[in-house]
Amino acid sequence: SIAILLYLVQKFKTPDHWYPSDLQKRARVDEYLSWQHANIRAKGSKLFLSKVLLPLLTGQPLPPEKLEFATEELNVALKQFEEKFLQDKPFIVGSEISLADLVALVELMQPVCAGYNLFEERPKLKEWRRRVEEAVGKQLFQEAHEEIMNIKNL
């Protein structure tokens, strides 16, 4: 999906903030996109699979200790994300939204859809989410997540 996003950004000449032409800003986007595969994506997906999909497929809930371990792994990645990538900036690259922010928030919505409100006790993350949703458009963002937000109703 990252390769497709990069292709689309270049093919359709999207606004520069999505994938900046400035090499230092672009390097920050690339750094996050490379890091997130083994961190936010892996840990968020693991929690989603453990809490929603596996019980749905097997009819059995995951043992609490395994669920707790998956949650703790995600919490470590979230702390790294806040400290390394967000720091004190409005967005990952700085003052404007980029593909890094979009990919990050989409990945973080999986655990949220599984019932883990990871934004609740993280004010920095919560404010960042608000800014990303506003930049994308709140209605569009909610439309994009409508199906996955209702997955627990299956």
Side-chain angles (χ1 to χ4, degrees):
S1 63
I2 299 301
I4 292 168
L5 286 173
L6 296 177
Y7 168 81
L8 292 172
V9 162
Q10 293 174 42
K11 178 175 175 144
F12 294 105
K13 303 200 184 337
T14 59
D16 192 64
H17 64 87
W18 289 112
Y19 195 57
S21 56
D22 175 276
L23 290 180
Q24 288 184 328
K25 289 180 180 179
R26 181 175 285 198
R28 292 293 291 167
V29 172
D30 291 339
E31 177 185 28
Y32 176 76
L33 294 177
S34 295
W35 176 85
Q36 63 93 26
H37 287 290
N39 294 281
I40 297 296
R41 174 175 283 170
K43 308 310 192 262
S45 295
K46 182 177 181 179
L47 184 62
F48 180 77
L49 290 169
S50 300
K51 203 166 181 186
V52 176
L53 289 184
L54 287 176
L56 189 64
L57 295 172
T58 65
Q60 300 292 318
L62 199 68
E65 62 277 1
K66 288 190 178 186
L67 198 54
E68 188 176 315
F69 182 72
T71 304
E72 277 311 306
E73 283 186 318
L74 177 59
N75 286 336
V76 168
L78 291 171
K79 186 175 190 310
Q80 291 171 340
F81 175 66
E82 285 184 304
E83 291 173 358
K84 170 86 172 128
F85 293 99
L86 284 183
Q87 299 168 349
D88 291 322
K89 301 173 296 199
F91 298 101
I92 293 172
V93 174
S95 61
E96 292 185 289
I97 191 172
S98 71
L99 282 179
D101 297 287
L102 188 61
V103 169
L105 188 51
V106 166
E107 294 295 343
L108 292 176
M109 290 306 292
Q110 286 189 46
V112 170
C113 296
Y116 178 52
N117 189 351
L118 53 91
F119 300 102
E120 191 173 30
E121 294 184 19
R122 293 183 178 85
K124 181 187 291 191
L125 210 56
K126 186 176 184 176
E127 276 304 300
W128 166 79
R129 175 188 175 173
R130 182 192 57 74
R131 287 189 295 272
V132 173
E133 283 186 25
E134 282 180 5
V136 170
K138 206 166 188 63
Q139 183 177 346
L140 178 60
F141 185 83
Q142 289 181 352
E143 276 179 41
H145 291 88
E146 189 173 346
E147 294 295 322
I148 197 167
M149 289 297 283
N150 294 320
I151 197 155
K152 291 181 90 175
N153 296 335
L154 290 176

